[in-house]
Amino acid sequence: MNPETIRHIVEFVIGIVVLLGALVSVISVFGIIRLPDVYLRSHAATKSATLGVLLILLGGFLYFWIFEHHISIKLLLGIVFVFITSPVAGHLNARAAYRSGVSLWKGSVRDDLKEDLKRERQESRGV
């Protein structure tokens, strides 16, 4: 294979990675809009959107690394920080919503934290 063909194949693969990231992000937006409660929306926002952003950043990193011969520390840091902070922020938002009394969706069949929160509140009151 000649170098020009290899370049086109790599460009195509990077384009697919970026396009896949955009598609996952769009699906995440539909999840945020359509899901019934804050906990399910939080799941859509943290899992899908994180994957979408990571794929887009990865595509940009690969492009600069392969074609510009430049390793972008900014893109690497962006990938690391999004990977770490987005799921943690989603967890903390859901936890804050649960502790402040935001109700679960009426179709929810299980609430594993109900008894733990009840016991924790009783202990904090000194009962």
Side-chain angles (χ1 to χ4, degrees), residues 5-111:
T5 304
I6 294 172
R7 178 181 172 91
H8 289 303
I9 291 171
V10 172
E11 285 177 350
F12 181 75
V13 169
I14 290 173
I16 292 296
V17 168
V18 171
L19 189 62
L20 186 62
L23 183 64
V24 169
S25 295
V26 168
I27 292 170
S28 175
V29 168
F30 285 124
I32 291 170
I33 292 171
R34 299 280 305 174
L35 291 172
D37 71 349
V38 69
Y39 308 106
L40 295 173
R41 289 180 189 141
S42 174
H43 179 76
T46 56
K47 305 300 185 279
S48 307
T50 301
L51 179 62
V53 169
L54 288 177
L55 287 172
I56 292 170
L57 290 174
L58 178 65
F61 175 77
L62 290 174
Y63 175 81
F64 284 112
W65 182 33
I66 294 170
F67 295 113
E68 303 292 329
H69 307 292
H70 172 74
I71 294 178
S72 176
I73 300 300
K74 290 178 184 178
L75 283 173
L76 281 177
L77 286 173
I79 289 169
V80 169
F81 286 131
V82 167
F83 185 73
I84 292 171
T85 59
S86 184
V88 171
H91 172 77
L92 291 176
N93 284 337
R95 181 179 172 173
Y98 188 83
R99 288 180 169 271
S100 66
V102 176
S103 61
L104 295 171
W105 172 47
K106 64 183 175 193
S108 295
V109 294
R110 220 168 125 175
D111 185 0

